[in-house]
Amino acid sequence: YMTPETIEKTLTDPDFIIGLATRLKEEQKARIAAETKALVLEQRVAEYEPKITYLDQILQSKDTVTITQIAKDYGMSGQKLNQILNEEGVQYKQNGQWLLYRKHQDKGYTKSHTVDVVHSDGSRTVKMNTRWTQKGRLFIHELLTKRGIVAMIDRKDIGA
């Protein structure tokens, strides 16, 4: 609030004017810095929203999924994703089943399922299939992201 004394000082004391101007300048800098920080935070939230949406969708499901189901999230075949996981040293094939290497075995990424296969001649065999848990699915998501492979949902949401 401008009092008669303040008005007088403003008109006659250059140091007082400089002090007022300096305080005004500092307040403007602080406001601009706060606005800039808010914009940066908004941008980060916008960047993370598609990823959070994808992870939320994954975590909602309690079931295991096949490699083909995961691969479809990335627009590729299960065979291609198995190949990538093999190249990355995650899994190897033994007796027709993909198995995790030791360093990944105890992390709860996969479960083996027994499948009863009926052949065209009526004979039956039992086959073991590897299915991925939601934790394993997130592991694959992180691995593919590091390789620059983006989930289809993220591509759509970020306009890629």
Side-chain angles (χ1 to χ4, degrees), residues 1-156:
Y1 181 71
M2 296 292 277
T3 63
E5 294 81 21
T6 307
I7 293 169
E8 180 66 28
K9 271 187 165 178
T10 303
L11 295 173
T12 59
D13 186 352
D15 289 334
F16 183 74
I17 295 171
I18 291 170
L20 285 176
T22 301
R23 278 197 303 258
L24 177 62
K25 185 177 176 182
E26 287 169 359
E27 287 173 12
Q28 285 177 338
K29 270 185 178 176
R31 190 177 87 272
I32 290 169
E35 289 171 0
T36 302
K37 186 175 181 180
L39 287 173
V40 167
L41 290 174
E42 280 181 38
Q43 182 179 354
R44 284 188 186 156
V45 167
E47 288 171 6
Y48 287 123
E49 274 179 337
K51 294 173 179 75
I52 292 167
T53 300
Y54 179 74
L55 296 178
D56 283 346
Q57 286 177 350
I58 287 174
L59 291 173
Q60 284 172 9
S61 174
K62 301 294 181 209
D63 298 327
T64 57
V65 292
T66 66
I67 197 71
T68 302
Q69 288 171 302
I70 297 170
K72 292 302 175 200
D73 288 344
Y74 299 88
M76 67 175 76
S77 69
Q79 188 175 13
K80 175 66 177 168
L81 183 50
N82 275 327
Q83 178 187 340
I84 290 170
L85 294 173
N86 180 252
E87 289 168 8
E88 290 286 335
V90 173
Q91 65 181 10
Y92 62 97
K93 200 167 197 176
Q94 182 176 334
N95 295 330
Q97 181 185 9
W98 287 102
L99 301 171
L100 298 183
Y101 282 106
R102 182 175 289 123
K103 70 178 178 179
H104 300 294
Q105 281 178 348
D106 62 350
K107 303 222 169 90
Y109 293 157
T110 62
K111 291 184 179 180
S112 289
H113 286 263
T114 305
V115 180
D116 190 21
V117 180
V118 180
H119 300 279
S120 57
D121 66 0
S123 64
R124 299 180 105 140
T125 55
V126 174
K127 182 180 177 190
M128 294 296 290
N129 277 350
T130 299
R131 292 178 62 98
W132 290 82
T133 63
Q134 300 314 311
K135 185 177 180 183
R137 193 172 177 188
L138 287 175
F139 167 75
I140 290 172
H141 177 71
E142 290 165 6
L143 185 141
L144 293 177
T145 299
K146 286 178 189 167
R147 281 186 79 150
I149 300 170
V150 179
M152 300 295 285
I153 192 169
D154 287 350
R155 293 180 208 169
K156 178 178 64 179

